[in-house]
Amino acid sequence: MVEIKQVLIPDIGDFKDVPVIEVLVKTGDHVKSEDPLISLESDKATIEIPAPFSGLIKEIQVKPGDKVSEGSPILVIEVSATEDGDASSAASTDQPVTNPPPVSTVIEPKQTAAQPIQKAQPSLPDSLLLDTAASSKAHAGPSVRRFARELGINLGLVTGSGAKLRILKEDVQAFVKAQLLKSQRGGTGAALNLLPWPQVDFAKFGPVEIKPLTRIKQIAGANLHRNWVMIPHVTQFDEADITELEALRKESNEAAKQDNLKLTLLAFLMKALITTLKKFPEFNASLDNHAGEANLILKHYYHLGFAVDTPNGLMVPVIREVDQKGVIMIAEELGKLSALAREGKLKPTEMQGASFTISSLGGIGGTGFTPIINAPEVAILGVSRASLKPVYQYQNNQFVPRLMLPLSLSYDHRVIDGASAARFTTHLAEVLADMRLALL
Ligand code: CAO
């Protein structure tokens, strides 16, 4: 039996009117369930919409440049009962079938409301930046389109030097170079007057291998670069005595084991962090700095992002309303979200809305690092590996072994003063040393 099914855009979080950047299938193609159908790209995310079931593409209802939202029709698939297990159940309804949530989704950290910060190439004039409709008409292959999209360049403005004026990667590179030179000579003072990046033929010195960066790394890299260049970072270091906390964690873990749950330090740390964020609200904020006005947006919600190391690169899932959750519930969500991140199955909504981020390298090692702020947040807490250290106790006049946790707080110096940062880490260390303070 054969059935015609309508495929719609599934729940893609807060995104609306997102441009289609690529249609990855054509009429007559046979797709398997989960095969990517189209790519969408908002200013915050690149989303691939997968096929909800296997079948034959009968009709494509979108083209690059079209704008879609949840529920927009994408294409029509002919499903035969033999090729799709879902076909018989779906056949019983006349309702259009909506896809499952997108699987391979890459979300860039949320941006500020300030429009200029949302551009991928802050030093290029706005008119040169990505215009999806114009770019989609340009004569260029998929890899060149991808390259231009990563740079945020409007391909419609690039002159091609290939056959039939086809745009080559070199043309895009030459275009960017020329525009950067122009903006430097323009003398606005905004461009950095840097030497060109060294072009070295490494093969002259020994054998080499070329490995493309993953898509997640490329997107995360562009964001990290912007945040590093645009935010004046300072990092405040401190140590927290977590001897008692670690004893509590081990004890609690004995009980949690029966429920197949592991309470990691990060869950307790999040709980302690909420107490400190409530005392220092300017750390749970964003800077809205545009049109000549600067405002601090203080958030009355506590959604914590946490960096997860995945085989494809760094992802930052978000636990919402951490202030309303206990350590056990936080630990459960930590485990669930990090597993989804590692499998590449996080939904866009699971990576949005963080008000503050933690990056913990404690499970791996190191004594301190300088994390890059996840814009538009104004601070990020880095955590390194706890170790036993001799700590001098004045009351007993002796050194005692204590488990010390290194903290590295990077903050936006436009918003936060050094003194506030030192007070913040001191308070956090006090709470971690005595978690009863988190109950007050
Ligand atoms: N000091 C000492 N030991 C620590 C520790 C710390 N600060 N933090 C965790 N550990 C221990 C844990 O207790 C656990 O030990 P046991 O198995 O003996 O109980 C072990 O290290 C592994 O913990 P974990 O890292 O799996 O768990 P977590 O909850 O602490 O962290 C997560 C979860 C997702 C943050 C982590 O797995 C991860 O991906 N970290 C990397 C984040 C990253 O890449 N940051 C850099 C961003 S910038 O490039």
Side-chain angles (χ1 to χ4, degrees), residues 249 262 264-266 307-309 314 338 342 359-363 383-386 405:
R249 188 182 77 88
K262 189 173 164 194
T264 62
L265 185 60
L266 196 50
V308 181
D309 179 34
L314 178 69
S338 13
R342 294 199 171 105
S359 176
S360 171
L361 292 173
V383 182
S384 298
R385 193 162 190 78
L405 178 72

Side-chain angles (χ1 to χ4, degrees), residues 227-238 277 280 282-285 287 296 355-357 369-382 407-426:
N227 299 347
W228 178 247
V229 169
M230 294 185 79
I231 303 174
H233 283 70
V234 179
T235 306
Q236 169 75 18
F237 298 99
D238 209 338
L277 285 173
F280 299 92
E282 77 269 27
F283 288 78
N284 196 52
L287 179 62
L296 200 55
S355 56
F356 187 95
T357 295
F369 64 109
T370 53
I372 298 179
I373 296 165
N374 191 12
E377 294 154 38
V378 292
I380 181 169
L381 180 70
L407 305 173
S408 314
L409 175 82
S410 291
Y411 58 91
D412 183 338
H413 210 345
R414 293 171 300 177
V415 175
I416 292 161
D417 296 333
S420 302
R423 286 189 194 104
F424 184 95
T425 50
T426 303

Side-chain angles (χ1 to χ4, degrees), residues 258-278:
Q258 289 151 13
D259 300 325
N260 257 343
L261 182 69
K262 189 173 164 194
L263 302 178
T264 62
L265 185 60
L266 196 50
F268 289 92
L269 195 62
M270 284 192 170
K271 196 73 206 156
L273 188 59
I274 295 297
T275 309
T276 306
L277 285 173
K278 284 189 171 168

Side-chain angles (χ1 to χ4, degrees), residues 241-318:
D241 183 339
I242 57 161
T243 317
E244 263 86 50
L245 172 56
E246 185 59 7
L248 168 70
R249 188 182 77 88
K250 284 198 171 135
E251 204 178 294
S252 319
N253 253 332
E254 284 307 309
K257 246 190 224 161
Q258 289 151 13
D259 300 325
N260 257 343
L261 182 69
K262 189 173 164 194
L263 302 178
T264 62
L265 185 60
L266 196 50
F268 289 92
L269 195 62
M270 284 192 170
K271 196 73 206 156
L273 188 59
I274 295 297
T275 309
T276 306
L277 285 173
K278 284 189 171 168
K279 190 168 166 72
F280 299 92
E282 77 269 27
F283 288 78
N284 196 52
S286 283
L287 179 62
D288 183 8
N289 200 357
H290 76 287
E293 266 191 45
N295 292 306
L296 200 55
I297 302 169
L298 297 165
K299 295 164 195 167
H300 293 164
Y301 56 85
Y302 299 87
H303 302 338
L304 297 185
F306 64 103
V308 181
D309 179 34
T310 80
N312 289 324
L314 178 69
M315 307 285 289
V316 187
V318 178

Side-chain angles (χ1 to χ4, degrees), residues 368-400:
F369 64 109
T370 53
I372 298 179
I373 296 165
N374 191 12
E377 294 154 38
V378 292
I380 181 169
L381 180 70
V383 182
S384 298
R385 193 162 190 78
S387 60
L388 272 178
K389 287 191 173 175
V391 174
Y392 192 72
Q393 279 185 346
Y394 288 94
Q395 64 272 37
N396 306 327
N397 206 15
Q398 61 177 359
F399 281 98
V400 287

Side-chain angles (χ1 to χ4, degrees), residues 70-231:
E70 182 182 349
S72 306
I74 320 172
L75 45 77
V76 174
I77 297 186
E78 182 185 278
V79 183
S80 74
T82 49
E83 65 190 348
D84 193 307
D86 289 338
S88 52
S89 59
S92 61
T93 170
D94 290 338
Q95 296 301 313
V97 178
T98 308
N99 315 49
V103 282
S104 42
T105 303
V106 183
I107 287 289
E108 301 176 25
K110 218 177 164 202
Q111 326 257 313
T112 57
Q115 291 309 311
I117 300 179
Q118 297 186 357
K119 305 295 184 192
Q121 291 288 333
S123 49
L124 291 178
D126 287 7
S127 55
L128 303 177
L129 294 170
L130 194 64
D131 168 342
T132 320
S135 280
S136 67
K137 287 188 194 129
H139 182 30
S143 67
V144 172
R145 287 181 185 284
R146 199 171 306 125
F147 181 55
R149 272 204 308 277
E150 279 152 17
L151 297 174
I153 291 298
N154 177 359
L155 268 185
L157 300 174
V158 181
T159 311
S161 65
K164 293 186 184 162
L165 297 182
R166 192 177 170 81
I167 301 171
L168 310 177
K169 188 177 176 189
E170 290 74 5
D171 299 326
V172 180
Q173 285 167 328
F175 176 80
V176 173
K177 256 188 221 163
Q179 297 305 329
L180 283 173
L181 263 179
K182 249 193 231 167
S183 71
Q184 280 175 13
R185 287 183 186 142
T188 58
L192 299 171
N193 192 15
L194 300 176
L195 289 174
W197 194 260
Q199 297 292 324
V200 180
D201 176 11
F202 298 104
K204 276 197 312 201
F205 306 113
V208 294
E209 182 191 337
I210 295 174
K211 189 176 165 205
L213 284 184
T214 63
R215 185 144 179 76
I216 292 179
K217 274 213 169 127
Q218 292 185 33
I219 292 176
N223 278 281
L224 290 165
H225 189 183
R226 178 202 56 207
N227 299 347
W228 178 247
V229 169
M230 294 185 79
I231 303 174

